Amino acid sequence: MHHDLDIRWDTASERNLRATNADAVATRRDPATGELVFAVADGIGDTAGSAEAARKAAAAAVATPVAQGAIQAMIAAQQALLLDEDDCVLVVAMPFTDRVSSGYRIAWVGDCRAYLWDDKTLYPLTSDQTVAAYLRSQLRPTTPRMEHIVTNTVRTTTTDQIGWTQVRTSGSGLLLVTDGVHKVVPANAMHRELTSAARPAQALIEASAALGGRDNASAAVIDWTAVRREPPPIPHMATPPLVHQ
């Protein structure tokens, strides 16, 4: 784990059984505030182009000034891909401070996820933008394949289709992951690694491989020292066009 004032963090990313690691994890310190921004991206496809799209999107997101916020970070990621044919999905965590306290603003497209975690459990902060998630919201049947068809991407999103939420620095921290982790590792196993492993992000990647995960797997773990507990927020949902991942 890395240490910085009142937070610790860990990141990891592995190819697993794919030909290319098309995931990307990025962190950057805002030069104006000194605060750290985190992003995790998953390229659509298994090519060098999809890997480059994920790297570019994640880098552009964390390079966005904290003062501009998480939605603007997602827009910056989109602008970085406008001239590309390849695409990705993305989640970004941007710190903020107001008159009440501090926390993180989360923006996402696709099926990268963010969780709040404490010593008891994980709280989902994001809602997957997939065909399966949309059909479930309509109380309609789904198939396993639909879990892998995203309905929003960095290149195709519009501002009102970007998922967003915010959370105060309560509990123990944040987890950002690609579907190579959250679709393979059960929530209770993720929580166990978060609360016991010396390098929790790396432990989550290793757990994915041990459980037979074939997809790229990436994670960013942010651990802070606040003690105040708040209920998890209700994420914003969007239903844009279908894209096969």
Side-chain angles (χ1 to χ4, degrees), residues 7 14 41-42 47 62 76 91 95 111 133-134 153 166 192 195 200 212 220 230-231 241:
I7 69 168
E14 295 292 343
D42 183 355
T47 66
V62 300
V91 60
D111 58 356
Y134 173 71
T153 70
Q166 73 176 35
R192 183 172 59 248
T195 55
E230 294 186 30

Side-chain angles (χ1 to χ4, degrees), residues 17-245:
L17 298 182
R18 289 289 190 97
T20 305
N21 188 357
D23 281 1
V25 181
T27 64
R28 183 177 181 271
R29 190 180 303 281
D30 185 292
T33 67
E35 296 172 298
L36 288 162
V37 182
F38 299 85
V40 170
D42 183 355
I44 296 175
D46 188 18
T47 66
S50 56
E52 180 66 11
R55 287 192 293 268
K56 288 169 67 173
V62 300
T64 305
V66 165
Q68 295 184 16
I71 295 292
Q72 185 57 45
M74 190 66 69
I75 294 171
Q78 181 180 62
Q79 292 173 342
L81 301 186
L82 287 180
L83 299 180
D84 295 354
E85 295 182 359
D86 293 286
D87 205 348
C88 67
V89 294
L90 173 70
V91 60
V92 56
M94 181 83 73
F96 75 94
T97 301
D98 59 22
R99 295 179 180 178
V100 178
S101 64
S102 59
Y104 281 83
R105 293 189 170 108
I106 313 296
W108 76 95
V109 298
D111 58 356
C112 290
R113 288 185 185 177
Y115 296 87
L116 176 70
W117 58 277
D118 60 20
D119 56 351
K120 295 180 180 179
T121 191
L122 288 174
Y123 304 95
L125 297 176
T126 57
S127 55
D128 291 347
Q129 296 178 335
T130 61
V131 172
Y134 173 71
L135 291 178
R136 278 193 295 269
S137 74
Q138 303 296 309
L139 303 179
R140 295 167 60 185
T142 67
T143 66
R145 174 59 184 157
M146 293 175 182
E147 303 287 353
H148 301 277
I149 306 175
V150 296
T151 57
N152 199 14
T153 70
V154 172
R155 286 187 69 241
T156 64
T157 195
T158 60
T159 301
D160 62 343
Q161 293 168 342
I162 297 170
W164 58 271
T165 191
Q166 73 176 35
V167 61
R168 303 286 177 178
T169 45
S170 59
S172 295
L174 282 176
L175 168 64
L176 310 180
V177 286
T178 59
D179 67 341
V181 175
H182 70 71
K183 287 178 181 172
V184 177
V185 185
N188 62 344
M190 287 197 287
H191 184 259
R192 183 172 59 248
E193 302 298 354
L194 287 167
T195 55
S196 64
R199 284 204 57 201
Q202 184 62 42
L204 288 168
I205 304 314
E206 292 171 359
S208 172
L211 290 170
R214 303 176 60 87
D215 198 2
N216 306 150
S218 299
V221 177
I222 306 135
D223 185 2
W224 56 69
T225 57
V227 296
R228 187 158 57 91
R229 299 289 193 266
E230 294 186 30
I234 299 173
H236 172 76
M237 298 184 68
T239 56
L242 311 186
V243 177
H244 289 268
Q245 186 178 17

Side-chain angles (χ1 to χ4, degrees), residues 3-25:
H3 295 260
D4 183 81
L5 299 176
D6 62 344
I7 69 168
R8 300 184 303 159
W9 75 96
D10 186 36
T11 62
S13 182
E14 295 292 343
R15 174 171 58 91
N16 282 345
L17 298 182
R18 289 289 190 97
T20 305
N21 188 357
D23 281 1
V25 181

